[in-house]
Amino acid sequence: MLLAMVLIGAQTPEARWEVRSELGRCRLAAAPGNATGSSLSFETRPLSRDVSIIAPIAGRQPRREVPATIMFGSSVPTQSATYYPATDQPDKPAYIKTDWATLRRLAEHETFSIAVNGATSSRFSTKNLSAGIDAMDRCRTTILRTMRYVADAETPEPTGGWGDGSGDWIRKKDFPTKLFDAQRNTAALIAWIVGKDGRIRNCTPLVPSGEPILDTAACEALTRRAKFAPPLDPSGKPTEIFGSRIIRYGS
């Protein structure tokens, strides 16, 4: 399910990057012909400081979370990170978790490598990476603009008041029965903002199903019932986060 794609041109054909927005995530990947190779990519989400690096790891891949080290260029500076193993889901490969500031630092060097369990990867080229990072940031901004996001806005009480948050937040009875049952392989990508109070707002079908009545009903149900623990940033201060999920319609 593809929301958008932006191709980032560069000064040479060997340093092109593509930004794709898929499932509410913005992924920056080396384009075909990039000297970096097509195996390197970076992924982030709107409002998140976290960045995932998806790249070949040297040696045997651990099956559990372990410390990792990012090495900038051929110099001494390094940055601690965390390796997370792949899951059974096809869109959840193994990755290195770092942050937005470290991604910016990578662009200041010509290459970088990753060490996991004492084994160091090949060096990855970061040529023209800064242009790709800027495009990935625009991708995040575009998603939030589509959602009409305003920072720190109040969470309005939905029509009919707040619902019981126990059980499934979206239920078959929330939809017109005949329209719901008539669907075959129909799905939508729904996104929302979790406010500082743990309630959601700005629910939006980022990738509509083609049945706006169903998408609207899904967002109304989610807004009415969903309640999260109030999100906190790394320093423990209240913050807002982005969330998304695929909703499938049909009996």
Side-chain angles (χ1 to χ4, degrees), residues 16-249:
R16 295 187 304 157
W17 298 87
E18 286 179 349
V19 174
R20 295 184 180 186
S21 176
E22 298 175 312
L23 303 180
R25 301 187 293 262
C26 293
R27 174 174 289 188
L28 173 66
N34 192 327
T36 299
S38 59
S39 56
L40 173 66
S41 63
F42 306 90
E43 192 174 276
T44 190
R45 295 164 68 89
L47 301 183
S48 176
R49 64 187 295 273
D50 294 333
V51 174
S52 300
I53 303 175
I54 303 166
I57 303 300
R60 187 173 182 178
Q61 292 195 6
R63 295 186 177 182
R64 58 184 177 84
E65 175 186 334
V66 297
T69 302
I70 299 173
M71 290 164 284
F72 302 96
S74 56
S75 55
V76 176
T78 62
Q79 177 67 46
S80 297
T82 305
Y83 167 90
Y84 289 88
T87 69
D88 294 334
Q89 302 178 41
D91 63 334
K92 297 289 185 180
Y95 67 95
I96 304 296
K97 181 181 177 181
T98 185
D99 56 31
W100 197 255
T102 300
L103 181 61
R104 290 286 186 187
R105 285 183 64 192
L106 289 179
E108 297 173 359
H109 300 266
E110 293 183 357
T111 62
F112 77 96
S113 56
I114 300 169
V116 177
N117 274 357
T120 303
S121 69
S122 302
R123 292 199 172 277
F124 301 104
S125 171
T126 55
K127 189 172 184 179
N128 204 40
L129 179 60
S130 59
I133 294 173
D134 289 343
M136 188 160 65
D137 201 21
R138 290 196 297 273
C139 168
R140 303 198 307 174
T141 299
T142 297
I143 291 175
L144 293 176
R145 186 179 297 123
T146 300
M147 299 172 68
R148 299 182 179 179
Y149 167 74
V150 176
D152 297 326
E154 292 186 6
T155 305
E157 183 171 342
T159 303
W162 304 109
D164 178 10
S166 61
D168 294 335
W169 289 339
I170 300 178
R171 307 162 188 172
K172 183 177 179 180
K173 67 180 183 180
D174 296 322
F175 306 97
T177 302
K178 289 185 178 180
L179 180 60
F180 183 92
D181 289 342
Q183 305 307 306
R184 295 291 182 270
N185 300 318
T186 303
L189 174 65
I190 303 295
W192 61 85
I193 302 298
V194 180
K196 294 179 179 179
D197 59 357
R199 293 288 186 182
I200 76 165
R201 68 175 195 274
N202 296 89
C203 186
T204 305
L206 286 183
V207 182
S209 67
E211 292 289 352
I213 292 176
L214 298 179
D215 296 344
T216 298
C219 270
E220 288 177 348
L222 195 64
T223 301
R224 203 166 50 244
R225 299 192 186 104
K227 183 69 166 69
F228 296 85
L232 303 174
D233 68 14
S235 66
K237 295 180 180 179
T239 188
E240 299 179 318
I241 59 174
F242 169 92
S244 66
R245 62 176 284 189
I246 295 175
I247 307 294
R248 303 189 186 281
Y249 309 121

Side-chain angles (χ1 to χ4, degrees), residues 3-22:
L3 174 61
M5 175 191 290
V6 181
L7 179 64
I8 306 305
Q11 295 178 356
T12 65
E14 292 76 27
R16 295 187 304 157
W17 298 87
E18 286 179 349
V19 174
R20 295 184 180 186
S21 176
E22 298 175 312

